[in-house]
Amino acid sequence: SRKKINQEINRELLEELYFKENKSMREIASVLKTGKTTIEHYFKKFKIKRRQRSEANRIRAIKYPVWKK
């Protein structure tokens, strides 16, 4: 059975979180209290272009810098 999503997921919300706030799909899923595959489904449904791996790595490096000893 499918889980009922409390918040309406729409294109504007996903684009705001993904492009403006630079959240990953996993972070978006956590914020919306749903699974990552659900977010992937909506990205395909709304034809939202995903980041290239190099861009995702660059964003991750800024958000989570490597620990220094």
Side-chain angles (χ1 to χ4, degrees):
S1 69
R2 292 188 174 253
K3 219 187 332 183
K4 181 77 176 137
I5 299 171
N6 295 339
Q7 186 172 2
E8 181 67 31
I9 297 178
N10 58 45
R11 183 183 185 100
E12 292 76 27
L13 175 64
L14 291 176
E15 288 179 338
E16 171 78 23
L17 293 171
Y18 192 68
F19 295 114
K20 292 195 176 95
E21 296 183 23
N22 283 331
K23 291 195 180 298
S24 68
M25 292 181 117
R26 197 173 302 261
E27 290 168 330
I28 293 170
S30 179
V31 167
L32 299 178
K33 294 179 176 44
T34 188
K36 186 174 93 60
T37 54
T38 302
I39 301 304
E40 289 172 350
H41 163 78
Y42 281 103
F43 266 65
K44 288 177 187 169
K45 178 179 176 181
F46 297 133
K47 295 180 174 62
I48 300 173
K49 190 162 172 48
R50 293 176 61 177
R51 294 184 190 111
Q52 296 293 317
R53 186 166 305 268
S54 60
E55 185 181 357
N57 287 338
R58 183 183 53 77
I59 291 169
R60 187 173 53 237
I62 293 167
K63 283 167 66 171
Y64 308 107
V66 178
W67 288 18
K68 304 276 184 195
K69 283 190 174 181

